[in-house]
Amino acid sequence: MCAALAARRGKRVAVLERTSKVGKKILMSGGGRCNFTNMYTEPDNYISANPHFCKSALSRYTPWDFIGLVCQYDIPYHEKKLGQLFCDNSAKDILDMLLAECAQFGVDVHTYCEIHSLQENNGFRIDSNRGTYCAEAVVIATGGLSIPTMGVTPYGYEVAVQFGLSVLPTRAGLVPFVFTDAIKTLCNELSGVSLDTLTSNQQAAFRENILFTHRGLSGPAILQISSYWLQGETVDINLLPDESADDWLTQYKISDPKSLLKTVLGQRLPKKLVAELEKQWWPQDARKPLAEFSNQQLLQIQKQLQGWALKPAGTEGYRTAEVTLGGVDTDELSSKSMESKNKSGLYFIGEVVDVTGHLGGFNFQWAWASAYAAAMDL
Ligand SMILES: Cc1cc2nc3c(=O)[nH]c(=O)nc-3n(C[C@H](O)[C@H](O)[C@H](O)COP(=O)(O)OP(=O)(O)OC[C@H]3O[C@@H](n4cnc5c(N)ncnc54)[C@H](O)[C@@H]3O)c2cc1C
């Protein structure tokens, strides 16, 4: 994106790509259909040590700018939900569009390029297995550390350190949770079950589905909250987010006194889930009619259903994470241009920077917007 925009402005640009192909993450994104932006992009959709940093770039290159480009290429797309725009056909449409823009303005794309060193030398000098490049400016767009099999490297962070920029600790974001205790058994039993929840912790709350897996929990609500989660913390899951009455469960005792608790809950939650919760929460009372439950016990179960506090053992890590939190400290960069404040001509854009989007097309929108900010300054 940055290469195409800079070349359009008349710059001579080379893209140096280590793997066989540029844009591999575009191809695998959004289940192969690339959730390329979100119509409701706001700075609040990003996590960063400096929440203000992303504002300038996001306001100068909006989702509508990118949608304009997509329309120019007649790429069919649709809104899946919550402003999330996906290709109708394939993520390849987005990659082909960016490559066509690069080709049109004469960008040289060099794949299989192993960079050996980057030095200041009247501008910059890059030594690689494909020869030496000299450039007035270098834009680092090496992404994050997720999906190691994609050939990711920490090189962008290393360049930052080499030039004296600080890098904030990195960790996996938008990633499923794993469990080791009784919850692991429960999740395994329920693997494939998904339901609408309000999933929260002290910093954030997401009204979305959770999905039980063989190893733990996934689904959009879990991926979202994982970006706000630190090892050792608990996550609260409200399994009945639309229920606001204080005593809805004790009401059933009056209306359905002869029913089993499992039966009434099964009207509102997946039956398999209720069966597993019964094993853990009221095993002794499984065959008892509601009339024989004390109000206190029902209130306790209701509280657990609406604030199920779970302590993940960890996350699946970079192996399956969609993004990397942390990265090049935004204090080191100009929010207008993404240029290093202390090293002129050195730029950092995209995921390598400490700006991480929520799930839903926000990470690509940051990649496009930060690329635009840098390209306009080159
Ligand atoms: C499975 C999956 C699905 C996703 N789906 C979505 C989605 O639908 N919507 C969304 O908004 N976001 C999605 N994301 C996140 C999104 O893909 C990234 O945030 C985005 O690609 C970041 O763009 P980038 O240009 O900063 O880095 P990347 O796209 O990761 O590109 C970095 C490039 O740098 C190259 N590189 C790395 N190190 C070196 C080196 N040493 N020398 C030369 N080249 C190097 C890499 O090979 C790669 O081509 C998804 C991520 C994953 C893993």
Side-chain angles (χ1 to χ4, degrees), residues 16-19 21-26 28-30 34-36 86 113 115 141-144 146-147 150-153 155 321-323 349-352 360-365 367:
L16 308 185
E17 166 61 51
R18 187 174 156 271
T19 69
K21 202 174 184 169
V22 291
K24 284 189 184 181
K25 278 199 181 156
I26 295 176
M28 72 185 303
S29 68
C34 189
N35 178 191
F36 56 81
F86 285 76
C113 184
I115 292 164
T142 43
S146 62
I147 321 285
M150 285 284 107
V152 305
T153 74
Y155 185 62
E322 268 195 28
V323 284
I349 60 171
E351 199 179 318
V352 74
F362 302 103
N363 283 297
F364 278 131
Q365 187 55 36

Side-chain angles (χ1 to χ4, degrees), residues 326-339:
V328 177
D329 190 344
T330 57
D331 279 354
E332 306 278 6
L333 307 175
S334 152
S335 62
K336 282 226 161 64
S337 65
M338 305 294 130
E339 187 177 21

Side-chain angles (χ1 to χ4, degrees), residues 121 210 286 339:
N121 184 345
I210 61 166
E339 187 177 21

